Amino acid sequence: MKTRLIISLSLVLATYASEAAQKTWNGASADWFDGNQWTPSGVPSPSDLIIISNGTVSISSPVTISNQLTWAGGSLAGSVLQIAPTGLLSIEGSGTHTMLYCTLDNGGVVNWQGTGDLIAGSTYFSQLVVITNRAGGVFNVLNDRTLASADMGYGAPAFRFDNDGTVSKTNSTGTNAVSGVNFNNTGLL
């Protein structure tokens, strides 16, 4: 009986692991839901391993990540990028990471590492960029870079960071610059 349970559990885990595909953004400025912008072709599922290195990814309706998104450069724009409790967003690389009029809603883990800044920008007046770190969410700052709101020709957007989870700074001995960010904290720092 114990052997059958182990074999059954192994088959379930193997099936789940085999369903996760790796999807890489092609670098164009286009909509997340345009399957032709991904390699291999097709819109990623929440359980896929997703890589974005450049370009502007427009999120026209909410996207949920329940596995891993590696954001190595480029811009995210539009609606809500939600990191599920099982999800991981790895912000890495040397390029600037720009959030344009969008919301990052984290219930899982965000690791901000590498040498790239995290910047809020806008393409029209009076736009809002929000990072929400929910209760149970963890936002790890693993670098000494800048978190800021930037004027991209339309005035600097309102940039808000709402923390109900945990924000930690580790693996670094320096400081981070924070500019133009309204930080609301009811969680742990």
Side-chain angles (χ1 to χ4, degrees):
M1 179 67 171
K2 190 175 185 180
T3 302
R4 281 190 208 155
L5 178 61
I6 291 171
I7 291 171
S8 296
L9 182 58
S10 296
L11 289 173
V12 168
L13 292 175
T15 300
Y16 176 76
S18 68
E19 291 177 9
Q22 180 171 309
K23 296 282 190 165
T24 303
W25 183 254
N26 290 325
S29 293
D31 191 86
W32 177 285
F33 297 99
D34 180 350
N36 294 321
Q37 301 303 318
W38 297 97
T39 302
S41 185
V43 177
S45 76
S47 63
D48 285 339
L49 300 169
I50 303 165
I51 301 168
I52 299 171
S53 296
N54 53 29
T56 298
V57 182
S58 295
I59 303 170
S60 57
S61 62
V63 169
T64 298
I65 304 298
S66 60
N67 195 345
Q68 181 173 341
L69 167 59
T70 300
W71 184 17
S75 301
L76 298 177
S79 187
V80 178
L81 176 64
Q82 182 178 35
I83 309 303
T86 59
L88 169 65
L89 170 59
S90 181
I91 305 170
E92 56 188 57
S94 59
T96 296
H97 302 80
T98 305
M99 295 175 62
L100 298 167
Y101 55 92
C102 64
T103 297
L104 170 59
D105 187 349
N106 179 44
V109 175
V110 174
N111 289 330
W112 178 25
Q113 55 200 345
T115 58
D117 295 333
L118 185 53
I119 303 296
S122 62
T123 57
Y124 299 102
F125 294 103
S126 303
Q127 291 178 331
L128 176 65
V129 174
V130 179
I131 296 175
T132 301
N133 194 44
R134 300 220 174 269
V138 178
F139 194 102
N140 293 311
V141 180
L142 306 169
N143 60 26
D144 300 328
R145 302 305 304 164
T146 299
L147 177 67
S149 178
D151 185 345
M152 302 180 94
Y154 296 94
F159 190 5
R160 196 176 77 221
F161 192 122
D162 299 328
N163 179 46
D164 294 322
T166 301
V167 174
S168 69
K169 174 148 172 79
T170 58
N171 296 344
S172 176
T173 58
T175 59
N176 290 81
V178 178
S179 175
V181 179
N182 183 7
F183 191 88
N184 302 303
N185 182 51
T186 58
L188 299 173
L189 294 177

